[in-house]
């Protein structure tokens, strides 16, 4: 029951769609109808500019941190905090008031990892930055970041099967939301950061 409550708290916070709100309030557009159609940081950068992209990342990152901190205050237990993080990702990716069409959850996932365990978050951040710097492929960096999550959970929480399983759930959600990107990566025509024309 506490797991479901934690997910619900996270979901409500995750439904705060930063890029959608920025687009509506400041640019009078629905970002889901522009660029890649994704309500996330990368599309915000491409469509609305770097300032909007940074604000989007911060908003999506912080809502995950708030969810985990809140659940840790209310409930005792590492796993409950991670369930709240899972709820944030579900709320971000599938917001009920936007017909369940949201973002891909990577910035929110970064917030989850940072609030949950800085060691796992640090490796994830370095891995993402290195891949994006070398390839300019945000999707590839995101996928490798997601792959690291269950590995990191196993390395630091190998005695807690529940946390390791949740790590795989986070990875699965990231891969599911990036399925179109994976197809383009395989075909060799994935969009690169800074590229204007989208496929």
């Amino acid at each position: 029951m506490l797991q479901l409550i934690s997910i619900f708290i996270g979901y409500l916070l995750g439904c705060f769609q930063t890029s959608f709100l920025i687009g509506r309030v400041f640019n009078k557009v629905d970002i889901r109808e522009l660029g890649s159609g994704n309500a996330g940081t990368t599309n915000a950068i491409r469509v609305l500019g770097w300032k909007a992209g940074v604000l989007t990342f911060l908003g999506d990152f912080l809502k995950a941190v708030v969810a985990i901190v809140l659940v840790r205050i209310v409930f005792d237990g590492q796993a409950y905090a991670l369930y709240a993080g899972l709820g944030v990702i579900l709320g971000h990716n599938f917001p009920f008031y936007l017909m369940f069409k949201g973002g891909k959850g990577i910035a929110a996932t970064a917030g989850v990892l940072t609030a949950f365990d800085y060691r796992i978050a640090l490796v994830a951040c370095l891995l993402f930055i290195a891949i994006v710097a070398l390839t300019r492929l945000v999707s590839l960096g995101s996928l490798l970041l997601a792959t690291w999550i269950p590995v990191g959970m196993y390395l630091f929480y190998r005695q807690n099967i529940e946390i390791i399983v949740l790590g795989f759930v986070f990875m699965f959600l990231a891969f599911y939301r990036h399925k179109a990107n994976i197809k383009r990566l395989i075909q060799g025509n994935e969009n690169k950061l800074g590229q204007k024309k989208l496929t």
Side-chain angles (χ1 to χ4, degrees), residues 14-148:
C15 281
F16 181 86
Q17 292 291 311
T18 313
S19 65
F20 175 79
L21 294 173
I22 289 174
R24 280 295 197 197
V25 173
F26 298 105
N27 302 88
K28 311 301 181 186
V29 298
D30 184 346
I31 193 170
R32 299 170 307 148
E33 298 175 353
L34 301 170
S36 66
N38 178 56
T41 300
T42 304
N43 199 37
I45 291 172
R46 286 177 174 143
V47 174
L48 305 175
W50 278 95
K51 183 178 179 180
V54 171
L55 289 175
T56 295
F57 176 84
L58 289 175
D60 292 344
F61 180 93
L62 290 174
K63 68 186 179 187
V65 173
V66 170
I68 287 185
V69 170
L70 180 60
V71 168
R72 274 185 171 153
I73 292 172
V74 177
F75 306 129
D76 183 27
Q78 283 280 75
Y80 295 134
L82 205 53
Y83 277 108
L86 175 60
V88 171
I89 304 305
L90 291 173
H92 178 81
N93 292 358
F94 312 107
F96 69 92
Y97 67 98
L98 294 178
M99 302 299 292
F100 302 99
K101 184 182 178 182
K104 296 181 180 177
I106 298 302
T109 298
V112 170
L113 296 179
T114 301
F116 181 75
D117 190 318
Y118 74 91
R119 299 168 299 179
I120 297 174
L122 181 60
V123 175
C125 179
L126 292 175
L127 183 62
F128 178 84
I129 291 173
I131 295 301
V132 174
L134 289 171
T135 66
R136 291 195 296 130
L137 292 169
V138 175
S139 58
L140 181 59
S142 299
L143 291 168
L144 290 177
L145 179 155
T147 303
W148 156 251

Side-chain angles (χ1 to χ4, degrees), residues 119-120 148-159 164:
R119 299 168 299 179
I120 297 174
W148 156 251
I149 296 173
V151 176
M153 296 300 181
Y154 174 77
L155 290 176
F156 294 108
Y157 299 94
R158 64 185 64 189
Q159 303 302 322
I164 296 171

Side-chain angles (χ1 to χ4, degrees), residues 104 143 174-185:
K104 296 181 180 177
L143 291 168
F175 271 71
Y176 175 76
R177 291 295 287 135
H178 283 82
K179 55 185 184 296
N181 302 88
I182 293 171
K183 182 178 179 180
R184 289 195 296 268
L185 283 168

